[in-house]
Amino acid sequence: MAAESAKEFEALEAQALTLLDIFRLCLAVHLVAESRVLATLVSIVRPPPTLRLQIAQLRREHDGQQLLAERLANLEAGTCDWYNGVLELRVNVLAHAKREDYLRASLDDHVPSPISRGLSSQYATERLRMLSTTSPLQLADQVRYQYA
């Protein structure tokens, strides 16, 4: 019975680590694609200072999410510290998603519809381009340090 429980725990631990790796990969893809789109946006449209502040805040939040995920990768899965880190990351990501909704609304106020549609298409293209690379995590780190 104890051996079965240990095996089940090991399986759950391996699954949790796999899901964390998937999250880190998806975050890296999102970060790079979004950064490229926002760079295009800033080069085409002169966003007002408030919109520039929102963009900078989102970039800082991405940095925080990456650091939290990296910290989790270095903790033993299933420990109390690991679960606390998962909860912190979850709360951070949910709050970030809400703020991205506000950014999208601000973009709608300041960016003409044809440009907005083009940026959406670029984001989809950039995500696919990133997924075809061999190391999106490395590229995300480069983007992160570019804005440091």
Side-chain angles (χ1 to χ4, degrees), residues 10-29:
E10 287 175 13
L12 288 173
E13 183 179 57
Q15 185 180 23
L17 292 173
T18 299
L19 290 172
L20 178 60
D21 286 342
I22 291 168
F23 172 80
R24 291 179 68 212
L25 176 66
C26 291
L27 179 61
V29 168

Side-chain angles (χ1 to χ4, degrees), residues 29-123:
V29 168
H30 169 70
L31 184 145
V32 173
E34 185 179 81
S35 292
R36 290 177 179 170
V37 169
L38 292 174
T40 299
L41 168 70
V42 171
S43 71
I44 294 173
V45 178
R46 296 208 34 107
T50 54
L51 187 55
R52 285 180 180 270
L53 286 172
Q54 285 179 303
I55 291 169
Q57 176 64 29
L58 290 177
R59 286 181 174 155
R60 283 190 299 276
E61 290 173 8
H62 283 152
D63 291 347
Q65 292 165 1
Q66 281 187 295
L67 292 173
L68 286 170
E70 288 171 18
R71 194 176 314 141
L72 277 175
N74 292 320
L75 293 173
E76 183 181 343
T79 63
C80 194
D81 286 342
W82 191 83
Y83 280 112
N84 287 337
V86 168
L87 180 60
E88 183 180 0
L89 180 59
R90 180 176 187 263
V91 168
N92 187 292
V93 168
L94 290 172
H96 173 78
K98 196 54 135 174
R99 280 187 285 282
E100 278 202 340
D101 289 342
Y102 294 131
L103 175 64
R104 192 162 294 120
S106 293
L107 287 173
D108 290 344
D109 292 340
H110 300 287
V111 178
S113 292
I115 293 174
S116 184
R117 284 192 300 274
L119 293 172
S120 294
S121 295
Q122 181 189 359
Y123 177 74

